[in-house]
Amino acid sequence: MKKYNSKATIVLGLCAAFGAGSATAGLQAFELENTEQPQCGYKDAGGKVIVPPKYDSCGGFSEGMARVAIMKMGMVKGYDGGEDYEDYLYWQGYINETGKLVIPVEHQAPMTGGYYIDFRDFQEGMVAAYKDGKYGYMNKSGKMTIPYLYQSAGDFNDGLAVVSKDDKFGAIDKTGKTVVPFKFNWLDDYSEGLARYNTSTLGDEDSKTGFVDTTGKTVIAAKWDEAMEFLEGLSAVKIGDYRSGKWGVIDKTGKVIVSPKYDMAYIEPMGDAVDVDGGRYENGKLDVYNLNTKGANAYDEGYDSITRYTLDHQGKVLSKKTYTDWSEIDQERYP
């Protein structure tokens, strides 16, 4: 089972989604209680309402801009040439740090499978926008600087955005120029100058993952069954299948820093989460886990406990602790 980052926000009945970072602008999103439909707005640090609660979703601030959204009827483009149909859609715009709506609420946030809403935030002065089944990019004044050309569109990182067209992935710069050719079956957003690529189509259990640089040149060959993006110069990688594979750590040259020997490098998504918890170095540390079992395979025969190992950049175990189950770990991480 492959893990891929998602830009979407999952919605299970609750329409208002609040992002971190509002305090940066001095405004905090709030939601009205005891209303038939969730309605949200923004207050300042003193509790004064600056933006009235008239939106269905209020995001956190990113680069001085916060996403606001409403839900209304609209036409949904049919999948793969199918017939268009009418349904409720989310439409988003952006407010600035004073609460002024500077980009009108007229940009669609597409929904996938009835659960995932592709809300977007500004990054490096640009944000992906969606229209009629295609993505482009606009700046903070709301001007479309890159037209609607792409099947999918990532956020800008390191001056590049990963996009796809004709079922192939590549990368463009902020002028829309193709920098990485459209030759990959899957390509992740760039992180620290490297992007994960995959040798096969999304979801193929036999596919392998490697890394390319900002020109599209392969830096680390696709030999890993799973890999996390690079942070602090290191990436957690896995050899083997979902049930019996082992995790280790490599550096940006592909050198193995920690031989694959741990059962898990992250915690599986819980509740409304759409991305894994952990799996990346943070403040010089990475948490990995082993499932302790008396049987041959913890996934088949169950496990008795879980041991968490905290590693440094050299792979040295700084500390370890054993838990009875994942809920105990979750309670400690998020008391």
Side-chain angles (χ1 to χ4, degrees):
M1 184 175 76
K2 299 292 179 189
K3 295 291 179 187
Y4 298 94
N5 286 346
S6 172
K7 300 295 182 293
T9 298
I10 190 168
V11 173
L12 298 174
L14 181 64
C15 296
F18 303 111
S22 295
T24 301
L27 296 182
Q28 294 282 351
F30 73 95
E31 180 184 347
L32 289 182
E33 297 181 359
N34 302 319
T35 56
E36 186 173 334
Q37 285 287 348
Q39 295 291 296
C40 60
Y42 293 83
K43 296 179 180 180
D44 64 16
K48 179 182 177 181
V49 175
I50 304 300
V51 179
K54 59 183 178 181
Y55 298 107
D56 293 304
S57 177
C58 297
F61 280 87
S62 174
E63 299 188 353
M65 306 283 278
R67 174 259 308 161
V68 292
I70 60 174
M71 187 171 60
K72 62 181 181 180
M73 293 296 290
M75 293 302 297
V76 180
K77 188 173 181 62
Y79 176 73
D80 198 19
E83 187 174 339
D84 296 350
Y85 60 95
E86 191 175 28
D87 201 351
Y88 279 103
L89 299 173
Y90 280 89
W91 300 86
Q92 62 185 11
Y94 296 86
I95 64 171
N96 63 16
E97 293 177 332
T98 69
K100 180 182 178 181
L101 184 67
V102 292
I103 297 178
V105 184
E106 58 185 21
H107 300 277
Q108 186 182 344
M111 181 181 288
T112 303
Y115 292 97
Y116 299 98
I117 306 173
D118 196 10
F119 287 131
R120 294 301 184 97
D121 294 318
F122 275 89
Q123 193 154 325
E124 297 189 3
M126 306 275 280
V127 67
Y130 178 87
K131 183 179 180 180
D132 297 332
K134 298 290 185 180
Y135 286 89
Y137 291 86
M138 64 181 174
N139 62 21
K140 289 184 179 181
S141 68
K143 179 182 178 181
M144 292 299 300
T145 57
I146 299 175
Y148 298 101
L149 296 172
Y150 306 104
Q151 290 173 306
S152 65
D155 296 328
F156 271 95
N157 289 287
D158 301 328
L160 297 178
V162 172
V163 294
S164 67
K165 60 181 181 180
D166 300 326
D167 298 320
K168 291 291 184 181
F169 287 79
I172 58 174
D173 65 17
K174 291 182 181 180
T175 70
K177 177 184 176 182
T178 299
V179 177
V180 176
F182 289 85
K183 63 180 182 179
F184 297 96
N185 292 322
W186 179 77
L187 190 66
D188 193 21
D189 289 345
Y190 278 86
S191 177
E192 298 190 351
L194 296 177
R196 293 180 291 177
Y197 77 98
N198 205 267
T199 59
S200 191
T201 55
L202 185 64
D204 188 335
E205 295 293 335
D206 295 326
S207 61
K208 301 291 184 181
T209 300
F211 292 85
V212 297
D213 64 15
T214 53
T215 69
K217 178 184 177 182
T218 299
V219 175
I220 298 173
K223 57 183 270 188
W224 305 102
D225 290 289
E226 193 171 345
M228 303 298 288
E229 67 270 28
F230 274 93
L231 282 179
E232 300 186 6
L234 299 169
S235 167
V237 292
K238 183 179 182 179
I239 286 288
D241 63 22
Y242 174 71
R243 303 176 71 83
S244 61
K246 299 294 183 180
W247 286 86
V249 177
I250 61 172
D251 67 14
K252 286 187 173 183
T253 69
K255 178 183 177 181
V256 175
I257 304 301
V258 178
S259 298
K261 59 183 177 181
Y262 296 102
D263 294 326
M264 300 187 72
Y266 53 70
I267 299 174
E268 297 279 4
M270 297 182 183
D272 290 355
V274 295
D275 195 11
V276 299
D277 185 351
R280 300 99 167 169
Y281 271 90
E282 185 176 354
N283 298 322
K285 298 177 181 179
L286 172 70
D287 289 336
V288 291
Y289 306 87
N290 271 343
L291 306 178
N292 305 315
T293 178
K294 297 175 183 177
N297 190 304
Y299 287 98
D300 293 330
E301 302 178 34
Y303 53 88
D304 304 302
S305 61
I306 305 160
T307 299
R308 182 192 68 201
Y309 300 86
T310 300
L311 311 180
D312 67 9
H313 280 178
Q314 288 72 47
K316 178 183 177 181
V317 176
L318 299 174
S319 64
K320 68 177 183 178
K321 185 176 181 179
T322 298
Y323 302 84
T324 56
D325 53 32
W326 291 110
S327 62
E328 186 178 351
I329 297 175
D330 190 52
Q331 185 175 5
E332 181 181 278
R333 288 172 68 87
Y334 307 105

